Amino acid sequence: MEYSEIASVSGKGGLFKVVKPTRTGVILESLDDKKQKLVASATQRISVLSDISIYTTTQEGSIPLEDVYKKIYSEFKDDLGVTQTSDPDELKAFIKHVIPEYDEARVYVSDIKKLVNWYGSLLQYAPELLMEKKKEDKPKEAKPKKAASKKKS
């Protein structure tokens, strides 16, 4: 699974897996155990996780959500120390620890709550998305293939 295959729908809690597009929208399936299907029309606001980023005060102006989650996972694994119901000051301290240069004026507590909630969902239902992908230093050399079978005479 990829970040481009997971979406959030405005007005609906949780995350959804993009199943397939339709003529008038897209078919989504909840990421939880219920696996409820939802047909989202073009009028609903759908955000794919690969398109979401967190505002920063750096020259780039933002950091992709994928990078944020990988950074959180490498440091905290499955124990963030905060939940979406934590005190706003705790949530701000958490995001400041993860992204010291986050833009405090443009990143709201509600955004941090979503970040924490979505992290929990991804950790439970798609943990492979949180781990760093291993990059190979050298491409593997092709080994000559052995003959699969011998000809009979």
Side-chain angles (χ1 to χ4, degrees), residues 15 31 69 78 80 113-127 130:
L15 294 174
L31 204 58
Y69 280 146
D78 62 348
L80 298 181
K113 287 180 179 184
K114 276 188 219 171
L115 178 91
V116 170
N117 185 30
W118 292 352
Y119 180 85
S121 292
L122 290 175
L123 185 65
Q124 186 173 2
Y125 300 108
L130 302 173

Side-chain angles (χ1 to χ4, degrees), residues 54-58 61-63 68 88-109 111-112:
I54 304 290
Y55 291 117
T56 64
T57 55
T58 61
S62 66
I63 182 171
V68 173
D89 291 333
E90 289 178 30
L91 291 167
K92 288 177 183 178
F94 169 74
I95 196 73
K96 185 80 170 168
H97 176 78
V98 175
I99 312 168
E101 65 278 354
Y102 92 98
D103 191 339
E104 296 179 37
R106 294 168 70 188
V107 178
Y108 302 107
V109 172
D111 299 326
I112 304 169

Side-chain angles (χ1 to χ4, degrees), residues 18-70:
V18 177
V19 178
K20 67 179 181 177
T22 66
R23 274 188 310 130
T24 59
V26 65
I27 298 173
L28 303 170
E29 180 180 79
S30 63
L31 204 58
D32 59 14
D33 291 332
K34 296 176 186 174
K35 301 290 183 203
Q36 293 176 325
K37 298 250 196 262
L38 165 74
V39 178
S41 66
T43 59
Q44 289 179 298
R45 187 172 173 156
I46 301 168
S47 301
V48 180
L49 293 192
S50 61
D51 294 342
I52 298 174
S53 57
I54 304 290
Y55 291 117
T56 64
T57 55
T58 61
Q59 188 174 2
E60 291 82 28
S62 66
I63 182 171
L65 191 61
E66 180 177 356
D67 295 349
V68 173
Y69 280 146
K70 287 181 179 177

